Amino acid sequence: MDVFGGLLGGFSVALTPINLLFGFLGAVIGTVIGILPGLGPLGTMALLLSLTYGFDPTAGMILFAGIYFGAMYGGSTTSILLNIPGEAASVVTVMEGYQMARRGRAGAALAVAAIGSFVAGTISLVGLSFLAPTLARAALKFGPAEYFTVAFVGLLIMTRLTGGRLTRSLMLIALGLALGTVGMETVAGYMRYTFGQPLLAQGIDFLPVAMGLFGISEVLITAEEQHQSVQMQKVGFRELWPTFEEWKRSMWPMIRGSFIGFFVGLVPGPSPVISTMVSYGVEKKLDKHGEFGKGAIEGVAGPEAANNASVGAAYVPLMALGIPFTPAMAVVMAVLLIHGINPGPLLMSQRPDLFWGVIASMYIGNFMLLVFNLPLVGVFASIIRTPLFVLMPTVMLLCLVGVYSVNNSMLDIWLMIGFGLLGYFLRRLRYDLAPLILAMVLGPMMERSFREAMMISRGDLMVFLTRPISATILAVGVLAMLGPFLFDRVGRAFARKP
Amino acid sequence: MKKLTPLLLPGALLLAGLVYQYMALKMPRGGIAMPGPGFYPMAVGVFLIVTALACLLQELRNPDTPRQAAPPLDEATPEGNRVGQTVRLTALMVGYILALKPLGYPVAIALFLLVATRIFGSKNWFVAVIFAGILTAASYFVFILWLKVPLPLGILDTVLE
Amino acid sequence: MRKKTLLVAVALLTALFAGNAFCAEADYPQKPINTMIGFSPGGGSDVMFSMVRPQLEKLLKTTFVPIYKPGSGSDIAATETAMAKADGYTVFISCTPFIPINPYVRQTAYKVSDLMYVANVVTDPGLIVVKADSPYKTMADLMKAAKEKPGAVTVAVSAAPGDDWFAMHLLEASSNLDFNVVPFSGDGPSWQAAVAGHVDASSNNLGVVYPQVKAGGLRPLAIMAEKRSPYLPDVPTFKELGYNFTSFSARGFAMPKGTPKAVVDKFAAAVKQVMDSEEFKANANKTAFPADYMGPEQYTAMIKSLDAIYQPLWDKYGKAAAGAK
């Protein structure tokens, strides 16, 4: 009951013109930086942090929530249209989304991504409003041992994520893990595989690799094939929207993806990435159309919803307990800190106006983003109609500047080009790229949590099996891997018997 | 030559894996109770060597059976023509990086766009110049003035500040 | 038309160069100041910077452009600062113990003396915290547990070598006890592990954990300062308890070596003026921001003095942690 009362109070705060304006501003800024590859929500919020000092803290929080949600809406645009995943959680969207765009269904993919984001945002906000304290305490049960098993099971799932040969994806996973060890290791500051380059000390960043492997390699391949008609299919404006059939097919994936994203995303570390992989895996398993790998709409709807739901989930530990599990949440927390507000379990009772105001404004922001993004679908989808000599140089510019804007590092541009060539060769040889980059992201988390778990337990490997949550995750992972295989065997055995 | 290409990658990765493992073995390993910096790389190295070897063997015994090709590639274009484009574009990007510090972002990107537009088949210089100009100005406003990305301004440093 | 533009440009250039040559120091600052931050957004250096930035911008009539170069314990940002033009338009958020200990611990591309230490802003004392419902009610409880089962009490620290890590070894040295010191990746993950109960305690800093202490998630056991903190008057110091050491993490501004003295003094004076303002004090009070202004001379001396404390500790404990025997 007091949740409704709180929300009502919250809406009265959020609906004041000034807060509405900040919500709108945040949504616009967020969408724009989400679309531009490079500078993500984290960098933008850090840039604007001192600006929020001049506002009321509620307004600052609303602005940042708008940016954060908006960036997730915008992020799917480059993934689908240009084959550039802006963050690790978008890698899965690229797999089906870009194939849809190539088939002339870019508009459908974008619209489904936007609606999926809205559905997921709403579901995760409901979760945030009603269950925040309970869920946050549950998330705390995850320690280093659990992070390790989550990442490890994630790697297991990944081998089955894409088609093609198992040995090939295993080899690329190994390469990704190896690339993830470059840089200063976090426990003792030991330099690994940096070859004396101080700039490599911070490791190989996600974006140069993602932009290179996916974006630059796509540009190179397009350049080689420009004289043929295999370019993007041209579409009429009327075909920009999803058909009824496509709506029907994406509805359940959206809902499933939202729940997967919200619950898996509550746990920090490797979880948001893995939630998109789990959603993709589930949809692939349930698929009846045999379109996966060639642009299945379910493969966009599910993971995109999962990705967005994890954004709402990230706010849960921050709002309920004052614990910022991710760097982006730490910046959001700083908005409160510079105003002398201590976020924590008492925030809800001490500053209900702020707590509920921010949550209410997220509902409004989410709705605003939908209204704001749907008309843009048409605009963006028609980007593909621009002539190649305009589109491709623009994409290259976005990559060249975007990759620099993350760490202001020249080395990152070199890396992007290097990985662009690698991606080009891999694709020519028909390798799937997703395992490589996802392993690179998950590897460092896996190592860190393994070492922390081992140091805490003084070298007892059994912790992974004796801690109930960790053991459950492992069991689920092994079942998911062996399950289909076993069922198949058992089924065949039964079929043979009579 | 064509037959060798699929072997190239597992082969190269096998070599890389051996070098990687050699370097990992030189790192302090620690024990299981306090895994050192070399502990995890050692495991990764073994994994890389084993998978690369497996891939190599499989590739040798039964060459590529594409179940799902990532992007549908067209084999019709003459090889030389295709690779030429990739070499040209790579050289162009390298040129941009080298020019970025001395010439500054606006000049470097304008030149880059001008050439890139030509590579992607624009026949008209006039269009290329207009396009490069507009995009240079737009990106300057968005990235440098608005998002405050500290791109080098090079020769224009004092004028634009 | 073109001629005119060219003339204007030439005129502008001359004016700028002339300006640089003659009155750069008096007119400082004339353009935005790049601020090199060696840690991720939202970390301690970022919070410190955000606390002074708005007023500092107003006072100096300029803007600060934060440039995040996280990694390698701020080495990357420090290296870039050391290589930057010494004109006052590049400042670095310098954090102890990384400056001065990093160049001692590993090969870095800069020396401690490549930087000028302009003004210290915050000196955050170390603090040991446990979960609110932990069985360890006092520091004595925790020490007793460590005595009964040597090496079994797990204490999270932010990194090795970080101030929390040094602090735990100072405690071990002064008590002859052995803890299981677990380095996490940052002070945030360190206290979060304590709140969740994955470790027994976290060796952290007052300014970092104060919100959680205030909110009732963490209980402070003892503080590593000379005197009790006005924010936590009930928490004893380690010295009171008979362990003779203090520990802190200090953050301030540094500039490249060779920056004109007039620029350094002007910047330091501005920082002091901001920190003396009522507005700043009120805010600092609310978040337990342990403000501690030091001018150039004092700050430089403090950085120097840390070498004597940290170097022997690193030789004794650190080389083992790095696995280098």
Side-chain angles (χ1 to χ4, degrees):
Chain A
M1 183 54 225
D2 59 338
V3 172
F4 289 105
L7 266 180
L8 218 61
F11 275 106
S12 68
V13 175
L15 284 171
T16 53
I18 184 79
N19 285 342
L20 271 178
L21 178 70
F22 275 109
F24 178 72
L25 264 179
V28 174
I29 296 174
T31 308
V32 172
I33 56 130
I35 292 168
L36 296 175
L39 202 74
L42 176 62
T44 311
M45 292 193 293
L47 210 69
L48 294 175
L49 183 60
S50 82
L51 202 75
T52 66
Y53 181 80
F55 320 148
D56 175 65
T58 313
M61 289 284 283
I62 290 174
L63 177 75
F64 277 21
I67 292 177
Y68 201 40
F69 272 88
M72 296 299 144
Y73 270 83
S76 54
T77 310
T78 38
S79 312
I80 292 169
L81 289 180
L82 308 176
N83 202 31
I84 301 173
E87 35 140 24
S90 302
V91 171
V92 175
T93 309
V94 167
M95 300 198 307
E96 300 302 321
Y98 187 65
Q99 292 307 319
M100 281 186 74
R102 281 186 76 105
R103 281 199 354 229
R105 300 305 301 154
L110 287 171
V112 161
I115 307 256
S117 297
F118 175 73
V119 170
T122 310
I123 289 179
S124 71
L125 281 171
V126 171
L128 175 61
S129 334
F130 287 88
L131 299 167
T134 326
L135 289 174
R137 287 194 198 286
L140 279 183
K141 294 268 187 302
F142 282 72
E146 283 75 21
Y147 293 168
F148 172 77
T149 36
V150 167
F152 183 74
V153 166
L155 285 184
L156 282 182
I157 297 173
M158 205 147 62
T159 57
R160 288 296 183 84
L161 211 56
T162 52
R165 285 177 165 171
L166 185 64
T167 43
R168 286 185 157 195
S169 40
L170 282 175
M171 182 174 74
L172 285 193
I173 287 176
L175 177 62
L177 293 178
L179 288 170
T181 57
V182 172
M184 190 183 81
E185 55 88 55
T186 49
V187 176
Y190 190 91
M191 294 292 179
R192 300 191 298 205
Y193 307 105
T194 53
F195 303 97
Q197 272 275 348
L199 284 173
L200 273 177
Q202 56 177 326
I204 300 176
D205 200 41
F206 169 80
L207 272 168
V209 181
M211 288 177 156
L213 280 182
F214 292 90
I216 296 291
S217 78
E218 180 63 25
V219 170
L220 294 177
I221 286 177
T222 311
E224 294 190 351
E225 289 170 359
Q226 59 179 296
H227 303 298
Q228 266 121 38
S229 49
V230 280
Q231 304 157 13
M232 302 272 189
Q233 245 164 299
K234 301 259 157 91
V235 269
F237 272 110
R238 221 178 298 157
E239 290 160 51
L240 283 176
W241 285 90
T243 60
F244 179 69
E245 168 73 11
E246 282 170 325
W247 281 126
K248 226 174 65 186
R249 280 173 56 184
S250 39
M251 194 179 77
W252 282 107
M254 275 177 199
I255 294 174
R256 278 192 293 266
S258 305
F259 281 97
I260 293 171
F262 184 71
F263 286 107
V264 181
L266 274 176
V267 185
S271 307
V273 184
I274 287 171
S275 74
T276 59
M277 286 161 54
V278 170
S279 165
Y280 184 85
V282 167
E283 298 314 327
K284 197 175 174 184
K285 195 113 288 168
L286 296 173
D287 174 48
K288 290 186 213 79
H289 302 269
E291 277 185 1
F292 269 79
K294 289 171 248 146
I297 198 157
E298 297 92 341
V300 176
E304 262 307 302
N307 184 7
N308 260 62
S310 65
V311 175
Y315 267 91
V316 168
L318 179 72
M319 298 296 275
L321 299 179
I323 299 179
F325 271 140
T326 63
M329 285 301 111
V331 179
V332 172
M333 186 166 123
V335 174
L336 297 178
L337 285 180
I338 60 175
H339 281 94
I341 297 166
N342 297 312
L346 302 178
L347 185 68
M348 202 196 295
S349 51
Q350 283 174 347
R351 291 293 305 267
D353 58 319
L354 193 151
F355 184 89
W356 291 110
V358 170
I359 291 186
S361 74
M362 287 180 181
Y363 281 99
I364 299 170
N366 200 31
F367 182 70
M368 247 189 232
L369 277 164
L370 182 73
V371 174
F372 181 64
N373 269 273
L374 279 183
L376 284 178
V377 166
V379 179
F380 284 128
S382 51
I383 281 179
I384 319 184
R385 303 155 132 249
T386 50
L388 274 187
F389 72 85
V390 171
L391 182 61
M392 288 296 144
T394 313
V395 172
M396 291 175 88
L397 174 137
L398 288 177
C399 287
L400 287 170
V401 182
V403 79
Y404 179 83
S405 69
V406 187
N407 294 318
N408 312 311
S409 150
M410 292 293 242
L411 182 74
D412 280 354
I413 316 185
W414 287 111
L415 282 174
M416 180 182 74
I417 296 178
F419 278 99
L421 289 172
L422 178 68
Y424 166 82
F425 284 117
L426 286 174
R427 292 173 72 184
R428 282 282 184 230
L429 293 168
R430 301 172 207 279
Y431 276 78
D432 278 311
L433 302 172
L436 170 58
I437 187 146
L438 291 174
M440 207 190 88
V441 175
L442 293 178
M445 301 185 195
M446 198 165 74
E447 180 192 10
R448 195 164 64 218
S449 46
F450 177 76
R451 292 174 77 179
E452 286 166 6
M454 283 300 99
M455 283 164 105
I456 292 173
S457 74
R458 298 246 134 172
D460 181 9
L461 280 168
M462 292 305 285
V463 285
F464 300 115
L465 297 175
T466 51
R467 290 179 61 109
I469 300 179
S470 154
T472 314
I473 298 168
L474 271 181
V476 168
V478 171
L479 262 183
M481 288 303 296
L482 298 179
F485 191 66
L486 284 178
F487 286 133
D488 215 37
R489 278 283 168 90
V490 174
R492 244 182 277 163
F494 272 106
R496 231 178 283 146
K497 252 176 198 163
Chain B
M1 187 59 210
K2 258 262 145 83
K3 269 186 196 151
L4 278 176
T5 9
L7 298 179
L8 219 60
L9 187 77
L13 286 184
L14 181 62
L15 261 174
L18 289 170
V19 175
Y20 182 91
Q21 186 66 357
Y22 173 75
M23 290 173 76
L25 287 174
K26 289 176 105 181
M27 293 173 191
R29 212 164 311 154
I32 185 80
M34 198 177 200
F39 194 90
Y40 171 79
M42 214 175 62
V44 172
V46 171
F47 185 39
L48 183 57
I49 293 170
V50 169
T51 50
L53 208 59
C55 214
L56 197 65
L57 288 178
Q58 197 179 28
E59 224 60 82
L60 273 173
R61 281 171 55 188
N62 99 57
D64 200 16
T65 45
R67 260 186 280 171
Q68 283 176 345
L73 295 179
D74 198 280
E75 308 285 337
T77 327
E79 189 80 25
N81 209 352
R82 288 171 160 200
V83 179
Q85 289 287 62
T86 294
V87 172
R88 255 170 260 153
L89 279 174
T90 310
L92 180 62
M93 286 188 284
V94 170
Y96 162 79
I97 303 180
L98 295 178
L100 188 54
K101 274 255 159 81
L103 294 185
Y105 172 74
V107 178
I109 202 72
L111 292 175
F112 172 87
L113 289 171
L114 215 56
V115 181
T117 315
R118 301 292 294 181
I119 294 181
F120 277 98
S122 158
K123 303 275 184 306
N124 192 333
W125 271 113
F126 180 71
V127 174
V129 170
I130 297 283
F131 169 69
I134 291 175
L135 210 54
T136 302
S139 66
Y140 177 78
F141 278 106
V142 172
F143 289 108
I144 296 185
L145 295 186
W146 189 48
L147 293 173
K148 303 254 186 286
V149 178
L151 282 156
L153 293 175
I155 46 175
L156 298 175
D157 193 3
T158 35
V159 184
L160 292 173
E161 283 284 353
Chain C
M1 184 60 210
R2 178 164 285 181
K3 233 178 203 166
K4 209 168 175 187
T5 329
L6 199 72
L7 268 176
V8 173
V10 169
L12 263 172
L13 276 173
T14 345
L16 277 168
F17 280 134
N20 274 348
F22 298 115
C23 43
E25 289 155 30
D27 290 352
Y28 173 84
Q30 290 206 319
K31 55 177 187 178
I33 299 173
N34 288 332
T35 314
M36 313 296 293
I37 301 176
F39 297 90
S40 308
S45 16
D46 204 23
V47 170
M48 168 280 211
F49 181 51
S50 335
M51 288 291 283
V52 290
R53 178 176 160 191
Q55 282 176 273
L56 209 53
E57 284 185 340
K58 231 183 281 167
L59 200 66
L60 288 172
K61 294 191 186 65
T62 181
T63 51
F64 285 93
V65 182
I67 301 178
Y68 297 91
K69 296 263 180 177
S72 198
S74 81
D75 280 351
I76 295 162
T79 305
E80 295 223 353
T81 311
M83 290 188 307
K85 235 197 263 171
D87 54 5
Y89 293 103
T90 307
V91 300
F92 168 64
I93 310 283
S94 166
C95 298
T96 69
F98 306 106
I99 310 286
I101 197 69
N102 276 0
Y104 182 74
V105 166
R106 53 175 168 260
Q107 227 177 345
T108 52
Y110 66 97
K111 294 191 295 291
V112 176
S113 58
D114 286 343
L115 299 170
M116 283 176 94
Y117 302 91
V118 178
N120 188 51
V121 176
V122 52
T123 302
D124 200 352
L127 185 70
I128 288 200
V129 287
V130 295
K131 193 164 87 147
D133 53 3
S134 156
Y136 308 114
K137 304 270 180 234
T138 61
M139 199 60 216
D141 291 345
L142 196 71
M143 300 306 282
K144 205 175 123 211
K147 200 166 195 173
E148 278 162 8
K149 280 187 255 161
V153 176
T154 48
V155 183
V157 298
S158 60
D163 62 304
D164 314 327
W165 183 88
F166 280 115
M168 278 317 292
H169 290 303
L170 283 167
L171 177 61
E172 285 184 335
S174 60
S175 65
N176 281 320
L177 290 176
D178 187 19
F179 290 92
N180 184 6
V181 180
V182 182
F184 277 72
S185 50
D187 41 23
S190 161
W191 70 254
Q192 286 154 21
V195 170
H198 302 304
V199 291
D200 294 317
S202 166
S203 169
N204 222 304
N205 295 91
L206 172 64
V208 177
V209 295
Y210 183 77
Q212 251 328 291
V213 168
K214 193 94 202 258
L218 288 169
R219 177 170 48 228
L221 294 186
I223 195 163
M224 305 168 193
E226 292 289 344
K227 283 184 302 200
R228 291 190 179 203
S229 160
Y231 302 113
L232 299 171
D234 301 332
V235 177
T237 67
F238 275 92
K239 289 206 165 173
E240 284 174 46
L241 300 173
Y243 308 104
N244 191 23
F245 75 96
T246 60
S247 171
F248 57 84
S249 160
R251 294 183 274 272
F253 291 101
M255 287 182 185
K257 182 174 70 182
T259 306
K261 190 165 183 316
V263 169
V264 169
D265 288 344
K266 183 158 185 191
F267 195 92
V271 173
K272 184 169 175 14
Q273 199 181 331
V274 167
M275 291 179 63
D276 283 341
S277 73
E278 286 309 312
E279 191 186 351
F280 176 85
K281 279 184 182 160
N283 248 329
N285 246 328
K286 277 191 260 174
T287 44
F289 183 80
D292 179 24
Y293 174 81
M294 284 182 220
E297 289 80 28
Q298 210 187 345
Y299 188 27
T300 312
M302 188 263 274
I303 297 272
K304 271 211 183 97
S305 72
L306 290 177
D307 270 337
I309 304 172
Y310 289 143
Q311 288 185 359
L313 273 178
W314 178 256
D315 289 342
K316 189 169 170 201
Y317 297 100
K319 291 190 175 162
K325 267 169 276 167

